[in-house]
PDB file of all heavy atoms in Angstrom:
ATOM      1  N   LEU A1312     -61.486 -10.066  42.102  1.00 88.00           N
ATOM      2  CA  LEU A1312     -60.139  -9.993  41.451  1.00 88.00           C
ATOM      3  C   LEU A1312     -59.814 -11.406  40.870  1.00 88.00           C
ATOM      4  O   LEU A1312     -59.253 -11.445  39.737  1.00 88.00           O
ATOM      5  CB  LEU A1312     -59.093  -9.598  42.404  1.00 88.00           C
ATOM      6  CG  LEU A1312     -57.661  -9.567  41.939  1.00 88.00           C
ATOM      7  CD1 LEU A1312     -57.509  -8.597  40.739  1.00 88.00           C
ATOM      8  CD2 LEU A1312     -56.687  -9.166  43.031  1.00 88.00           C
ATOM      9  N   LEU A1313     -60.231 -12.449  41.478  1.00 90.00           N
ATOM     10  CA  LEU A1313     -59.980 -13.776  41.020  1.00 90.00           C
ATOM     11  C   LEU A1313     -60.647 -14.042  39.640  1.00 90.00           C
ATOM     12  O   LEU A1313     -60.007 -14.577  38.722  1.00 90.00           O
ATOM     13  CB  LEU A1313     -60.445 -14.809  42.014  1.00 90.00           C
ATOM     14  CG  LEU A1313     -60.007 -16.267  41.850  1.00 90.00           C
ATOM     15  CD1 LEU A1313     -58.465 -16.351  41.958  1.00 90.00           C
ATOM     16  CD2 LEU A1313     -60.667 -17.161  42.883  1.00 90.00           C
ATOM     17  N   ARG A1314     -61.928 -13.563  39.559  1.00 90.00           N
ATOM     18  CA  ARG A1314     -62.595 -13.636  38.281  1.00 90.00           C
ATOM     19  C   ARG A1314     -61.956 -12.817  37.198  1.00 90.00           C
ATOM     20  O   ARG A1314     -61.790 -13.240  36.030  1.00 90.00           O
ATOM     21  CB  ARG A1314     -64.069 -13.238  38.434  1.00 90.00           C
ATOM     22  CG  ARG A1314     -64.931 -14.211  39.202  1.00 90.00           C
ATOM     23  CD  ARG A1314     -66.417 -13.913  38.992  1.00 90.00           C
ATOM     24  NE  ARG A1314     -66.758 -12.557  39.460  1.00 90.00           N
ATOM     25  CZ  ARG A1314     -67.135 -12.253  40.686  1.00 90.00           C
ATOM     26  NH1 ARG A1314     -67.213 -13.216  41.612  1.00 90.00           N
ATOM     27  NH2 ARG A1314     -67.412 -11.021  41.025  1.00 90.00           N
ATOM     28  N   THR A1315     -61.466 -11.634  37.579  1.00 90.00           N
ATOM     29  CA  THR A1315     -60.795 -10.752  36.587  1.00 90.00           C
ATOM     30  C   THR A1315     -59.519 -11.445  36.066  1.00 90.00           C
ATOM     31  O   THR A1315     -59.251 -11.428  34.872  1.00 90.00           O
ATOM     32  CB  THR A1315     -60.494  -9.414  37.225  1.00 90.00           C
ATOM     33  OG1 THR A1315     -61.700  -8.800  37.678  1.00 90.00           O
ATOM     34  CG2 THR A1315     -59.787  -8.486  36.244  1.00 90.00           C
ATOM     35  N   LEU A1316     -58.717 -11.970  36.997  1.00 90.00           N
ATOM     36  CA  LEU A1316     -57.459 -12.620  36.607  1.00 90.00           C
ATOM     37  C   LEU A1316     -57.769 -13.798  35.702  1.00 90.00           C
ATOM     38  O   LEU A1316     -57.043 -14.039  34.727  1.00 90.00           O
ATOM     39  CB  LEU A1316     -56.700 -13.014  37.844  1.00 90.00           C
ATOM     40  CG  LEU A1316     -56.132 -11.915  38.760  1.00 90.00           C
ATOM     41  CD1 LEU A1316     -55.566 -12.496  40.037  1.00 90.00           C
ATOM     42  CD2 LEU A1316     -55.064 -11.105  37.979  1.00 90.00           C
ATOM     43  N   ARG A1317     -58.815 -14.574  36.046  1.00 89.00           N
ATOM     44  CA  ARG A1317     -59.147 -15.745  35.249  1.00 89.00           C
ATOM     45  C   ARG A1317     -59.538 -15.299  33.825  1.00 89.00           C
ATOM     46  O   ARG A1317     -59.163 -15.991  32.847  1.00 89.00           O
ATOM     47  CB  ARG A1317     -60.300 -16.485  35.891  1.00 89.00           C
ATOM     48  CG  ARG A1317     -60.674 -17.767  35.137  1.00 89.00           C
ATOM     49  CD  ARG A1317     -61.736 -18.530  35.955  1.00 89.00           C
ATOM     50  NE  ARG A1317     -62.892 -17.667  36.132  1.00 89.00           N
ATOM     51  CZ  ARG A1317     -63.717 -17.710  37.222  1.00 89.00           C
ATOM     52  NH1 ARG A1317     -63.478 -18.579  38.143  1.00 89.00           N
ATOM     53  NH2 ARG A1317     -64.748 -16.932  37.343  1.00 89.00           N
ATOM     54  N   ASP A1318     -60.282 -14.215  33.698  1.00 90.00           N
ATOM     55  CA  ASP A1318     -60.712 -13.747  32.382  1.00 90.00           C
ATOM     56  C   ASP A1318     -59.524 -13.308  31.520  1.00 90.00           C
ATOM     57  O   ASP A1318     -59.405 -13.592  30.334  1.00 90.00           O
ATOM     58  CB  ASP A1318     -61.736 -12.633  32.536  1.00 90.00           C
ATOM     59  CG  ASP A1318     -63.050 -13.078  33.008  1.00 90.00           C
ATOM     60  OD1 ASP A1318     -63.325 -14.320  32.969  1.00 90.00           O
ATOM     61  OD2 ASP A1318     -63.845 -12.250  33.505  1.00 90.00           O
ATOM     62  N   ILE A1319     -58.591 -12.572  32.214  1.00 91.00           N
ATOM     63  CA  ILE A1319     -57.352 -12.078  31.476  1.00 91.00           C
ATOM     64  C   ILE A1319     -56.534 -13.239  30.982  1.00 91.00           C
ATOM     65  O   ILE A1319     -56.092 -13.298  29.842  1.00 91.00           O
ATOM     66  CB  ILE A1319     -56.540 -11.208  32.416  1.00 91.00           C
ATOM     67  CG1 ILE A1319     -57.282  -9.906  32.729  1.00 91.00           C
ATOM     68  CG2 ILE A1319     -55.176 -10.872  31.807  1.00 91.00           C
ATOM     69  CD1 ILE A1319     -56.643  -9.032  33.819  1.00 91.00           C
ATOM     70  N   LEU A1320     -56.377 -14.218  31.832  1.00 91.00           N
ATOM     71  CA  LEU A1320     -55.573 -15.406  31.430  1.00 91.00           C
ATOM     72  C   LEU A1320     -56.261 -16.227  30.314  1.00 91.00           C
ATOM     73  O   LEU A1320     -55.611 -16.738  29.399  1.00 91.00           O
ATOM     74  CB  LEU A1320     -55.291 -16.263  32.634  1.00 91.00           C
ATOM     75  CG  LEU A1320     -54.371 -15.631  33.728  1.00 91.00           C
ATOM     76  CD1 LEU A1320     -54.296 -16.454  34.963  1.00 91.00           C
ATOM     77  CD2 LEU A1320     -52.933 -15.437  33.125  1.00 91.00           C
ATOM     78  N   ASN A1321     -57.564 -16.327  30.421  1.00 89.00           N
ATOM     79  CA  ASN A1321     -58.324 -17.084  29.362  1.00 89.00           C
ATOM     80  C   ASN A1321     -58.144 -16.375  28.015  1.00 89.00           C
ATOM     81  O   ASN A1321     -57.966 -17.039  26.994  1.00 89.00           O
ATOM     82  CB  ASN A1321     -59.793 -17.090  29.729  1.00 89.00           C
ATOM     83  CG  ASN A1321     -60.138 -18.262  30.689  1.00 89.00           C
ATOM     84  OD1 ASN A1321     -59.478 -19.301  30.621  1.00 89.00           O
ATOM     85  ND2 ASN A1321     -61.063 -18.089  31.585  1.00 89.00           N
ATOM     86  N   ARG A1322     -58.200 -15.024  27.990  1.00 86.00           N
ATOM     87  CA  ARG A1322     -58.012 -14.301  26.715  1.00 86.00           C
ATOM     88  C   ARG A1322     -56.638 -14.507  26.153  1.00 86.00           C
ATOM     89  O   ARG A1322     -56.430 -14.464  24.955  1.00 86.00           O
ATOM     90  CB  ARG A1322     -58.296 -12.832  26.946  1.00 86.00           C
ATOM     91  CG  ARG A1322     -59.791 -12.535  27.187  1.00 86.00           C
ATOM     92  CD  ARG A1322     -60.002 -11.044  27.284  1.00 86.00           C
ATOM     93  NE  ARG A1322     -61.410 -10.735  27.525  1.00 86.00           N
ATOM     94  CZ  ARG A1322     -61.888  -9.482  27.575  1.00 86.00           C
ATOM     95  NH1 ARG A1322     -61.110  -8.461  27.417  1.00 86.00           N
ATOM     96  NH2 ARG A1322     -63.180  -9.326  27.805  1.00 86.00           N
ATOM     97  N   ARG A1323     -55.683 -14.730  27.023  1.00 86.00           N
ATOM     98  CA  ARG A1323     -54.297 -14.876  26.584  1.00 86.00           C
ATOM     99  C   ARG A1323     -54.102 -16.282  26.026  1.00 86.00           C
ATOM    100  O   ARG A1323     -53.039 -16.608  25.384  1.00 86.00           O
ATOM    101  CB  ARG A1323     -53.332 -14.640  27.746  1.00 86.00           C
ATOM    102  CG  ARG A1323     -51.893 -14.610  27.391  1.00 86.00           C
ATOM    103  CD  ARG A1323     -51.549 -13.361  26.603  1.00 86.00           C
ATOM    104  NE  ARG A1323     -50.128 -13.018  26.662  1.00 86.00           N
ATOM    105  CZ  ARG A1323     -49.635 -11.927  26.210  1.00 86.00           C
ATOM    106  NH1 ARG A1323     -50.463 -10.995  25.676  1.00 86.00           N
ATOM    107  NH2 ARG A1323     -48.365 -11.618  26.328  1.00 86.00           N
ATOM    108  N   GLY A1324     -54.993 -17.217  26.247  1.00 86.00           N
ATOM    109  CA  GLY A1324     -54.846 -18.558  25.763  1.00 86.00           C
ATOM    110  C   GLY A1324     -54.534 -19.565  26.829  1.00 86.00           C
ATOM    111  O   GLY A1324     -54.370 -20.763  26.608  1.00 86.00           O
ATOM    112  N   TYR A1325     -54.408 -19.074  28.102  1.00 87.00           N
ATOM    113  CA  TYR A1325     -54.161 -20.002  29.236  1.00 87.00           C
ATOM    114  C   TYR A1325     -55.486 -20.636  29.680  1.00 87.00           C
ATOM    115  O   TYR A1325     -56.564 -20.115  29.396  1.00 87.00           O
ATOM    116  CB  TYR A1325     -53.542 -19.245  30.409  1.00 87.00           C
ATOM    117  CG  TYR A1325     -52.150 -18.721  30.127  1.00 87.00           C
ATOM    118  CD1 TYR A1325     -51.892 -17.363  29.863  1.00 87.00           C
ATOM    119  CD2 TYR A1325     -51.071 -19.598  30.121  1.00 87.00           C
ATOM    120  CE1 TYR A1325     -50.624 -16.889  29.641  1.00 87.00           C
ATOM    121  CE2 TYR A1325     -49.760 -19.103  29.934  1.00 87.00           C
ATOM    122  CZ  TYR A1325     -49.545 -17.776  29.683  1.00 87.00           C
ATOM    123  OH  TYR A1325     -48.298 -17.290  29.441  1.00 87.00           O
ATOM    124  N   GLN A1326     -55.355 -21.699  30.421  1.00 83.00           N
ATOM    125  CA  GLN A1326     -56.537 -22.309  31.068  1.00 83.00           C
ATOM    126  C   GLN A1326     -56.293 -22.369  32.562  1.00 83.00           C
ATOM    127  O   GLN A1326     -55.835 -23.325  33.119  1.00 83.00           O
ATOM    128  CB  GLN A1326     -56.780 -23.703  30.537  1.00 83.00           C
ATOM    129  CG  GLN A1326     -57.160 -23.725  29.064  1.00 83.00           C
ATOM    130  CD  GLN A1326     -57.427 -25.113  28.542  1.00 83.00           C
ATOM    131  OE1 GLN A1326     -57.104 -26.099  29.216  1.00 83.00           O
ATOM    132  NE2 GLN A1326     -58.028 -25.198  27.331  1.00 83.00           N
ATOM    133  N   PRO A1327     -56.538 -21.235  33.249  1.00 90.00           N
ATOM    134  CA  PRO A1327     -56.184 -21.112  34.677  1.00 90.00           C
ATOM    135  C   PRO A1327     -57.064 -21.955  35.577  1.00 90.00           C
ATOM    136  O   PRO A1327     -58.237 -22.174  35.314  1.00 90.00           O
ATOM    137  CB  PRO A1327     -56.366 -19.649  34.933  1.00 90.00           C
ATOM    138  CG  PRO A1327     -57.404 -19.206  33.961  1.00 90.00           C
ATOM    139  CD  PRO A1327     -57.201 -20.026  32.758  1.00 90.00           C
ATOM    140  N   LEU A1328     -56.476 -22.424  36.672  1.00 91.00           N
ATOM    141  CA  LEU A1328     -57.162 -23.042  37.774  1.00 91.00           C
ATOM    142  C   LEU A1328     -57.157 -22.041  38.934  1.00 91.00           C
ATOM    143  O   LEU A1328     -56.100 -21.466  39.241  1.00 91.00           O
ATOM    144  CB  LEU A1328     -56.504 -24.301  38.206  1.00 91.00           C
ATOM    145  CG  LEU A1328     -56.324 -25.362  37.132  1.00 91.00           C
ATOM    146  CD1 LEU A1328     -55.458 -26.550  37.615  1.00 91.00           C
ATOM    147  CD2 LEU A1328     -57.726 -25.935  36.738  1.00 91.00           C
ATOM    148  N   THR A1329     -58.304 -21.799  39.578  1.00 91.00           N
ATOM    149  CA  THR A1329     -58.390 -20.738  40.537  1.00 91.00           C
ATOM    150  C   THR A1329     -58.790 -21.298  41.924  1.00 91.00           C
ATOM    151  O   THR A1329     -59.501 -22.311  42.042  1.00 91.00           O
ATOM    152  CB  THR A1329     -59.405 -19.667  40.143  1.00 91.00           C
ATOM    153  OG1 THR A1329     -60.690 -20.278  39.940  1.00 91.00           O
ATOM    154  CG2 THR A1329     -58.940 -18.999  38.852  1.00 91.00           C
ATOM    155  N   ALA A1330     -58.272 -20.661  42.984  1.00 91.00           N
ATOM    156  CA  ALA A1330     -58.614 -21.005  44.373  1.00 91.00           C
ATOM    157  C   ALA A1330     -58.697 -19.746  45.196  1.00 91.00           C
ATOM    158  O   ALA A1330     -57.849 -18.852  45.027  1.00 91.00           O
ATOM    159  CB  ALA A1330     -57.576 -21.984  44.905  1.00 91.00           C
ATOM    160  N   ASN A1331     -59.624 -19.646  46.117  1.00 88.00           N
ATOM    161  CA  ASN A1331     -59.733 -18.436  46.981  1.00 88.00           C
ATOM    162  C   ASN A1331     -59.218 -18.681  48.385  1.00 88.00           C
ATOM    163  O   ASN A1331     -59.460 -17.925  49.266  1.00 88.00           O
ATOM    164  CB  ASN A1331     -61.163 -17.903  46.995  1.00 88.00           C
ATOM    165  CG  ASN A1331     -62.141 -19.001  47.451  1.00 88.00           C
ATOM    166  OD1 ASN A1331     -61.758 -19.972  47.989  1.00 88.00           O
ATOM    167  ND2 ASN A1331     -63.461 -18.800  47.152  1.00 88.00           N
ATOM    168  N   SER A1332     -58.464 -19.833  48.612  1.00 90.00           N
ATOM    169  CA  SER A1332     -57.842 -20.080  49.844  1.00 90.00           C
ATOM    170  C   SER A1332     -56.551 -20.819  49.656  1.00 90.00           C
ATOM    171  O   SER A1332     -56.334 -21.433  48.599  1.00 90.00           O
ATOM    172  CB  SER A1332     -58.738 -20.858  50.797  1.00 90.00           C
ATOM    173  OG  SER A1332     -58.862 -22.216  50.324  1.00 90.00           O
ATOM    174  N   ALA A1333     -55.662 -20.708  50.648  1.00 89.00           N
ATOM    175  CA  ALA A1333     -54.337 -21.328  50.516  1.00 89.00           C
ATOM    176  C   ALA A1333     -54.489 -22.879  50.394  1.00 89.00           C
ATOM    177  O   ALA A1333     -53.866 -23.503  49.594  1.00 89.00           O
ATOM    178  CB  ALA A1333     -53.504 -20.986  51.718  1.00 89.00           C
ATOM    179  N   ARG A1334     -55.318 -23.458  51.257  1.00 91.00           N
ATOM    180  CA  ARG A1334     -55.440 -24.922  51.291  1.00 91.00           C
ATOM    181  C   ARG A1334     -56.043 -25.441  49.944  1.00 91.00           C
ATOM    182  O   ARG A1334     -55.590 -26.446  49.434  1.00 91.00           O
ATOM    183  CB  ARG A1334     -56.367 -25.324  52.457  1.00 91.00           C
ATOM    184  CG  ARG A1334     -55.744 -24.935  53.807  1.00 91.00           C
ATOM    185  CD  ARG A1334     -56.500 -25.539  54.970  1.00 91.00           C
ATOM    186  NE  ARG A1334     -55.981 -24.954  56.213  1.00 91.00           N
ATOM    187  CZ  ARG A1334     -54.863 -25.315  56.770  1.00 91.00           C
ATOM    188  NH1 ARG A1334     -54.106 -26.196  56.236  1.00 91.00           N
ATOM    189  NH2 ARG A1334     -54.458 -24.695  57.902  1.00 91.00           N
ATOM    190  N   GLU A1335     -57.064 -24.730  49.396  1.00 91.00           N
ATOM    191  CA  GLU A1335     -57.598 -25.122  48.113  1.00 91.00           C
ATOM    192  C   GLU A1335     -56.552 -24.984  47.024  1.00 91.00           C
ATOM    193  O   GLU A1335     -56.431 -25.815  46.154  1.00 91.00           O
ATOM    194  CB  GLU A1335     -58.846 -24.220  47.821  1.00 91.00           C
ATOM    195  CG  GLU A1335     -59.517 -24.671  46.543  1.00 91.00           C
ATOM    196  CD  GLU A1335     -60.722 -23.758  46.247  1.00 91.00           C
ATOM    197  OE1 GLU A1335     -61.043 -22.931  47.081  1.00 91.00           O
ATOM    198  OE2 GLU A1335     -61.243 -23.891  45.090  1.00 91.00           O
ATOM    199  N   GLY A1336     -55.742 -23.918  47.091  1.00 90.00           N
ATOM    200  CA  GLY A1336     -54.753 -23.657  46.068  1.00 90.00           C
ATOM    201  C   GLY A1336     -53.656 -24.744  46.130  1.00 90.00           C
ATOM    202  O   GLY A1336     -53.229 -25.257  45.048  1.00 90.00           O
ATOM    203  N   LEU A1337     -53.219 -25.117  47.312  1.00 92.00           N
ATOM    204  CA  LEU A1337     -52.163 -26.135  47.459  1.00 92.00           C
ATOM    205  C   LEU A1337     -52.691 -27.488  46.987  1.00 92.00           C
ATOM    206  O   LEU A1337     -51.931 -28.292  46.408  1.00 92.00           O
ATOM    207  CB  LEU A1337     -51.686 -26.254  48.867  1.00 92.00           C
ATOM    208  CG  LEU A1337     -50.890 -25.052  49.422  1.00 92.00           C
ATOM    209  CD1 LEU A1337     -50.654 -25.175  50.902  1.00 92.00           C
ATOM    210  CD2 LEU A1337     -49.564 -24.918  48.653  1.00 92.00           C
ATOM    211  N   ALA A1338     -53.967 -27.767  47.197  1.00 92.00           N
ATOM    212  CA  ALA A1338     -54.578 -29.015  46.668  1.00 92.00           C
ATOM    213  C   ALA A1338     -54.520 -29.027  45.150  1.00 92.00           C
ATOM    214  O   ALA A1338     -54.254 -30.076  44.524  1.00 92.00           O
ATOM    215  CB  ALA A1338     -55.991 -29.169  47.210  1.00 92.00           C
ATOM    216  N   LEU A1339     -54.810 -27.855  44.539  1.00 91.00           N
ATOM    217  CA  LEU A1339     -54.739 -27.751  43.076  1.00 91.00           C
ATOM    218  C   LEU A1339     -53.306 -27.985  42.544  1.00 91.00           C
ATOM    219  O   LEU A1339     -53.086 -28.657  41.545  1.00 91.00           O
ATOM    220  CB  LEU A1339     -55.273 -26.406  42.605  1.00 91.00           C
ATOM    221  CG  LEU A1339     -56.768 -26.220  42.653  1.00 91.00           C
ATOM    222  CD1 LEU A1339     -57.084 -24.736  42.237  1.00 91.00           C
ATOM    223  CD2 LEU A1339     -57.432 -27.147  41.692  1.00 91.00           C
ATOM    224  N   VAL A1340     -52.342 -27.400  43.302  1.00 90.00           N
ATOM    225  CA  VAL A1340     -50.933 -27.540  42.879  1.00 90.00           C
ATOM    226  C   VAL A1340     -50.523 -29.044  42.981  1.00 90.00           C
ATOM    227  O   VAL A1340     -49.890 -29.581  42.077  1.00 90.00           O
ATOM    228  CB  VAL A1340     -50.039 -26.646  43.751  1.00 90.00           C
ATOM    229  CG1 VAL A1340     -48.569 -27.006  43.545  1.00 90.00           C
ATOM    230  CG2 VAL A1340     -50.307 -25.180  43.483  1.00 90.00           C
ATOM    231  N   ALA A1341     -50.909 -29.669  44.035  1.00 91.00           N
ATOM    232  CA  ALA A1341     -50.549 -31.096  44.241  1.00 91.00           C
ATOM    233  C   ALA A1341     -51.154 -31.941  43.162  1.00 91.00           C
ATOM    234  O   ALA A1341     -50.545 -32.936  42.721  1.00 91.00           O
ATOM    235  CB  ALA A1341     -51.030 -31.550  45.600  1.00 91.00           C
ATOM    236  N   GLN A1342     -52.341 -31.586  42.670  1.00 90.00           N
ATOM    237  CA  GLN A1342     -53.023 -32.404  41.664  1.00 90.00           C
ATOM    238  C   GLN A1342     -52.509 -32.122  40.252  1.00 90.00           C
ATOM    239  O   GLN A1342     -52.349 -33.008  39.447  1.00 90.00           O
ATOM    240  CB  GLN A1342     -54.503 -32.081  41.731  1.00 90.00           C
ATOM    241  CG  GLN A1342     -55.337 -32.915  40.747  1.00 90.00           C
ATOM    242  CD  GLN A1342     -56.853 -32.597  40.876  1.00 90.00           C
ATOM    243  OE1 GLN A1342     -57.260 -31.732  41.679  1.00 90.00           O
ATOM    244  NE2 GLN A1342     -57.643 -33.311  40.114  1.00 90.00           N
ATOM    245  N   SER A1343     -52.246 -30.807  39.949  1.00 89.00           N
ATOM    246  CA  SER A1343     -51.927 -30.471  38.494  1.00 89.00           C
ATOM    247  C   SER A1343     -50.487 -30.147  38.275  1.00 89.00           C
ATOM    248  O   SER A1343     -50.024 -30.162  37.074  1.00 89.00           O
ATOM    249  CB  SER A1343     -52.770 -29.242  38.182  1.00 89.00           C
ATOM    250  OG  SER A1343     -52.379 -28.119  38.986  1.00 89.00           O
ATOM    251  N   LEU A1344     -49.627 -29.917  39.329  1.00 89.00           N
ATOM    252  CA  LEU A1344     -48.244 -29.554  39.175  1.00 89.00           C
ATOM    253  C   LEU A1344     -48.083 -28.477  38.093  1.00 89.00           C
ATOM    254  O   LEU A1344     -47.532 -28.721  36.989  1.00 89.00           O
ATOM    255  CB  LEU A1344     -47.381 -30.794  38.813  1.00 89.00           C
ATOM    256  CG  LEU A1344     -47.412 -31.920  39.824  1.00 89.00           C
ATOM    257  CD1 LEU A1344     -46.581 -33.121  39.330  1.00 89.00           C
ATOM    258  CD2 LEU A1344     -46.932 -31.482  41.168  1.00 89.00           C
ATOM    259  N   PRO A1345     -48.639 -27.268  38.323  1.00 91.00           N
ATOM    260  CA  PRO A1345     -48.681 -26.257  37.285  1.00 91.00           C
ATOM    261  C   PRO A1345     -47.294 -25.673  36.904  1.00 91.00           C
ATOM    262  O   PRO A1345     -46.345 -25.858  37.675  1.00 91.00           O
ATOM    263  CB  PRO A1345     -49.552 -25.189  37.916  1.00 91.00           C
ATOM    264  CG  PRO A1345     -49.268 -25.279  39.389  1.00 91.00           C
ATOM    265  CD  PRO A1345     -49.086 -26.787  39.622  1.00 91.00           C
ATOM    266  N   ALA A1346     -47.274 -25.047  35.773  1.00 90.00           N
ATOM    267  CA  ALA A1346     -46.068 -24.355  35.338  1.00 90.00           C
ATOM    268  C   ALA A1346     -45.881 -23.099  36.119  1.00 90.00           C
ATOM    269  O   ALA A1346     -44.752 -22.745  36.497  1.00 90.00           O
ATOM    270  CB  ALA A1346     -46.134 -24.029  33.842  1.00 90.00           C
ATOM    271  N   VAL A1347     -46.935 -22.349  36.359  1.00 91.00           N
ATOM    272  CA  VAL A1347     -46.893 -21.026  37.039  1.00 91.00           C
ATOM    273  C   VAL A1347     -47.948 -20.997  38.157  1.00 91.00           C
ATOM    274  O   VAL A1347     -49.047 -21.503  37.988  1.00 91.00           O
ATOM    275  CB  VAL A1347     -47.117 -19.903  36.056  1.00 91.00           C
ATOM    276  CG1 VAL A1347     -47.007 -18.557  36.765  1.00 91.00           C
ATOM    277  CG2 VAL A1347     -46.102 -19.972  34.859  1.00 91.00           C
ATOM    278  N   ALA A1348     -47.602 -20.429  39.265  1.00 90.00           N
ATOM    279  CA  ALA A1348     -48.550 -20.204  40.376  1.00 90.00           C
ATOM    280  C   ALA A1348     -48.515 -18.716  40.686  1.00 90.00           C
ATOM    281  O   ALA A1348     -47.429 -18.155  40.957  1.00 90.00           O
ATOM    282  CB  ALA A1348     -48.169 -21.003  41.607  1.00 90.00           C
ATOM    283  N   LEU A1349     -49.689 -18.084  40.625  1.00 88.00           N
ATOM    284  CA  LEU A1349     -49.839 -16.648  40.990  1.00 88.00           C
ATOM    285  C   LEU A1349     -50.445 -16.618  42.412  1.00 88.00           C
ATOM    286  O   LEU A1349     -51.605 -17.069  42.578  1.00 88.00           O
ATOM    287  CB  LEU A1349     -50.730 -15.997  39.967  1.00 88.00           C
ATOM    288  CG  LEU A1349     -50.878 -14.479  39.998  1.00 88.00           C
ATOM    289  CD1 LEU A1349     -49.539 -13.779  39.774  1.00 88.00           C
ATOM    290  CD2 LEU A1349     -51.908 -13.998  38.981  1.00 88.00           C
ATOM    291  N   VAL A1350     -49.691 -16.169  43.379  1.00 89.00           N
ATOM    292  CA  VAL A1350     -50.121 -16.337  44.781  1.00 89.00           C
ATOM    293  C   VAL A1350     -50.220 -14.985  45.448  1.00 89.00           C
ATOM    294  O   VAL A1350     -49.287 -14.190  45.462  1.00 89.00           O
ATOM    295  CB  VAL A1350     -49.068 -17.217  45.514  1.00 89.00           C
ATOM    296  CG1 VAL A1350     -49.490 -17.372  47.000  1.00 89.00           C
ATOM    297  CG2 VAL A1350     -48.862 -18.560  44.847  1.00 89.00           C
ATOM    298  N   ASP A1351     -51.400 -14.771  46.067  1.00 87.00           N
ATOM    299  CA  ASP A1351     -51.588 -13.553  46.936  1.00 87.00           C
ATOM    300  C   ASP A1351     -50.779 -13.731  48.201  1.00 87.00           C
ATOM    301  O   ASP A1351     -50.811 -14.802  48.817  1.00 87.00           O
ATOM    302  CB  ASP A1351     -53.103 -13.396  47.226  1.00 87.00           C
ATOM    303  CG  ASP A1351     -53.352 -12.086  47.971  1.00 87.00           C
ATOM    304  OD1 ASP A1351     -52.427 -11.320  48.207  1.00 87.00           O
ATOM    305  OD2 ASP A1351     -54.513 -11.873  48.311  1.00 87.00           O
ATOM    306  N   LEU A1352     -50.032 -12.739  48.605  1.00 81.00           N
ATOM    307  CA  LEU A1352     -49.159 -12.839  49.747  1.00 81.00           C
ATOM    308  C   LEU A1352     -49.896 -12.804  51.041  1.00 81.00           C
ATOM    309  O   LEU A1352     -49.393 -13.185  52.048  1.00 81.00           O
ATOM    310  CB  LEU A1352     -48.107 -11.733  49.679  1.00 81.00           C
ATOM    311  CG  LEU A1352     -46.833 -12.014  50.465  1.00 81.00           C
ATOM    312  CD1 LEU A1352     -46.131 -13.284  50.013  1.00 81.00           C
ATOM    313  CD2 LEU A1352     -45.875 -10.803  50.316  1.00 81.00           C
ATOM    314  N   LYS A1353     -51.210 -12.320  50.990  1.00 82.00           N
ATOM    315  CA  LYS A1353     -51.983 -12.193  52.225  1.00 82.00           C
ATOM    316  C   LYS A1353     -53.255 -12.967  52.042  1.00 82.00           C
ATOM    317  O   LYS A1353     -54.170 -12.522  51.369  1.00 82.00           O
ATOM    318  CB  LYS A1353     -52.278 -10.705  52.530  1.00 82.00           C
ATOM    319  CG  LYS A1353     -52.832 -10.458  53.944  1.00 82.00           C
ATOM    320  CD  LYS A1353     -52.881  -8.956  54.170  1.00 82.00           C
ATOM    321  CE  LYS A1353     -53.419  -8.722  55.602  1.00 82.00           C
ATOM    322  NZ  LYS A1353     -52.548  -9.250  56.677  1.00 82.00           N
ATOM    323  N   LEU A1354     -53.287 -14.156  52.669  1.00 86.00           N
ATOM    324  CA  LEU A1354     -54.450 -15.020  52.541  1.00 86.00           C
ATOM    325  C   LEU A1354     -55.070 -15.291  53.946  1.00 86.00           C
ATOM    326  O   LEU A1354     -54.344 -15.224  54.919  1.00 86.00           O
ATOM    327  CB  LEU A1354     -54.058 -16.367  51.922  1.00 86.00           C
ATOM    328  CG  LEU A1354     -53.556 -16.299  50.461  1.00 86.00           C
ATOM    329  CD1 LEU A1354     -52.801 -17.558  50.086  1.00 86.00           C
ATOM    330  CD2 LEU A1354     -54.721 -16.040  49.503  1.00 86.00           C
ATOM    331  N   PRO A1355     -56.356 -15.516  53.986  1.00 86.00           N
ATOM    332  CA  PRO A1355     -57.022 -15.638  55.305  1.00 86.00           C
ATOM    333  C   PRO A1355     -56.649 -16.873  56.084  1.00 86.00           C
ATOM    334  O   PRO A1355     -56.644 -16.783  57.357  1.00 86.00           O
ATOM    335  CB  PRO A1355     -58.498 -15.655  54.912  1.00 86.00           C
ATOM    336  CG  PRO A1355     -58.553 -16.181  53.569  1.00 86.00           C
ATOM    337  CD  PRO A1355     -57.284 -15.637  52.859  1.00 86.00           C
ATOM    338  N   ASP A1356     -56.324 -17.970  55.452  1.00 88.00           N
ATOM    339  CA  ASP A1356     -56.104 -19.197  56.190  1.00 88.00           C
ATOM    340  C   ASP A1356     -54.646 -19.587  56.351  1.00 88.00           C
ATOM    341  O   ASP A1356     -54.349 -20.598  57.053  1.00 88.00           O
ATOM    342  CB  ASP A1356     -56.874 -20.396  55.537  1.00 88.00           C
ATOM    343  CG  ASP A1356     -56.486 -20.556  54.063  1.00 88.00           C
ATOM    344  OD1 ASP A1356     -55.973 -19.633  53.483  1.00 88.00           O
ATOM    345  OD2 ASP A1356     -56.701 -21.697  53.533  1.00 88.00           O
TER     346      ASP A1356
END
């Protein structure tokens, strides 16, 4: 699903940053301060 979402956003003109865990995602947010965050409500960590 992560790859699918990345492809959809790329076609729309976005340049998405992807993470498959909460800790990795929060590290990306701290580094890039994104405009939008798409967050799965059920994560393993």
Side-chain angles (χ1 to χ4, degrees):
L1312 179 57
L1313 194 62
R1314 287 196 300 271
T1315 302
L1316 293 172
R1317 183 175 58 212
D1318 291 341
I1319 292 172
L1320 292 171
N1321 277 327
R1322 289 186 181 184
R1323 188 69 157 191
Y1325 294 105
Q1326 294 181 348
L1328 301 172
T1329 58
N1331 56 18
S1332 70
R1334 299 188 188 284
E1335 184 183 351
L1337 290 173
L1339 285 176
V1340 170
Q1342 182 179 2
S1343 62
L1344 302 178
V1347 181
L1349 190 63
V1350 181
D1351 186 2
L1352 203 56
K1353 192 171 181 64
L1354 294 165
D1356 58 339

